Amino acid sequence: MTDTGTPAQPFHVAIIMDGNGRWAKARGLPRVAGHKRGVESVRKIIKAAPDLGVTHLTLYGFSTENWRRPEQEVSALMGLLRLYLRNEAQKMHRDNVRVSFIGQAEQMSQDIQDLMRDVTALTANNTGLNLTIALSYGGRWELTEATRAIARKVASGECQPDDIDEAMINASLMTHALPDPDLLIRTSGEQRVSNFLLWQCAYAEFLFVDTLWPDFDGEVLADCIARFGLRDRRFGAVSSLV
């Protein structure tokens, strides 16, 4: 909370979308039914976020560890991803959403890579919500890749070891063009970050909510933002409330 008493506003919200499988199981449905319902929640949050003052939204769509899931489930998830990118690209463009992706795109099938490239190009000049979708993404992988990139610069003489600082590391990450998240939300009651934005969330506020992702909507997001406004963000300094 600021010194004026004005509630803090999270401009960049990152969400770990969890609970699709449990939502489906509770209803006696196959897991894919939960994933399909989860896509509806994605639509709702993209629509609601700008009205709540959010300028950047990063969604954890598929982690590097998710490849270990049963082949049938992974195939179903990839099918839903294809449908989403095909069906939603024009709508997001009309809504002025700028879409980008982080993660190991090369691990996706060629047609999905093409869809990712197309929606990125289509929305590149939009000026509304900045939507980042993390696909085949892992924070440790991203930091490893950044370390390799910097090591190559040192080896080529482009920089010296003593030149390495936080700014150089940040510039080597896939998120270098994004502000750090202000708020990280994880749904379904789980309380871990699951290898998501490990560097970027150093000073993010964390909220772990019991709501399963298929039930997450604009009202729940608004409540999370209101709860964020009650936090005293100190960034290592003395509390302004003392």
Side-chain angles (χ1 to χ4, degrees), residues 39-234:
V39 172
E40 293 298 321
S41 292
V42 171
R43 293 189 181 103
K44 291 175 182 178
I45 297 311
I46 291 173
K47 180 179 179 181
D51 292 336
L52 294 169
V54 176
T55 60
H56 293 74
L57 177 66
T58 300
L59 301 178
Y60 205 6
F62 193 87
S63 73
T64 51
E65 292 77 20
N66 286 157
W67 290 112
R68 303 172 188 166
R69 292 188 176 190
E71 184 178 349
Q72 184 176 5
E73 182 174 354
V74 171
S75 179
L77 285 167
M78 293 299 108
L80 286 173
L81 177 59
R82 287 186 184 91
L83 286 174
Y84 181 80
L85 294 176
R86 287 172 183 156
N87 296 339
E88 299 296 314
Q90 289 295 335
K91 185 180 186 304
M92 289 191 288
H93 183 44
R94 290 194 301 271
D95 291 341
N96 201 28
V97 177
R98 184 177 184 273
V99 184
S100 60
F101 299 89
I102 56 174
Q104 301 175 72
E106 67 277 6
Q107 291 193 342
M108 298 290 174
S109 63
Q110 188 58 55
D111 65 316
I112 290 179
Q113 292 182 50
D114 293 342
L115 288 167
M116 292 164 62
R117 184 187 63 247
D118 291 346
V119 72
T120 300
L122 176 66
T123 64
N125 294 321
N126 290 344
T127 57
L129 178 70
N130 288 271
L131 172 66
T132 304
I133 303 175
L135 296 174
S136 194
Y137 171 87
R140 288 183 173 182
W141 163 81
E142 183 183 29
L143 289 168
T144 300
E145 290 299 300
T147 302
R148 287 173 176 161
I150 293 172
R152 285 191 288 269
K153 289 182 179 180
V154 172
S156 69
E158 187 176 341
C159 69
Q160 298 300 313
D162 288 345
D163 296 329
I164 301 170
D165 57 13
E166 289 188 14
M168 183 180 292
I169 295 171
N170 194 66
S172 302
L173 300 175
M174 297 195 78
T175 57
H176 62 87
L178 303 176
D180 286 344
D182 301 298
L183 173 62
L184 173 67
I185 301 168
R186 182 172 187 143
T187 61
S188 85
E190 300 292 345
Q191 298 187 23
R192 56 183 180 273
V193 297
S194 294
N195 201 18
F196 186 44
L197 301 177
L198 299 179
W199 173 278
Q200 299 87 339
C201 283
Y203 276 101
E205 297 293 324
F206 287 13
L207 272 178
F208 301 108
V209 299
D210 291 333
T211 306
L212 300 175
W213 178 248
D215 293 325
F216 199 92
D217 57 18
E219 287 189 11
V220 183
L221 179 60
D223 179 68
C224 289
I225 289 175
R227 290 166 64 184
F228 174 91
L230 300 176
R231 301 283 181 93
D232 180 31
R233 304 190 77 202
R234 299 188 298 277

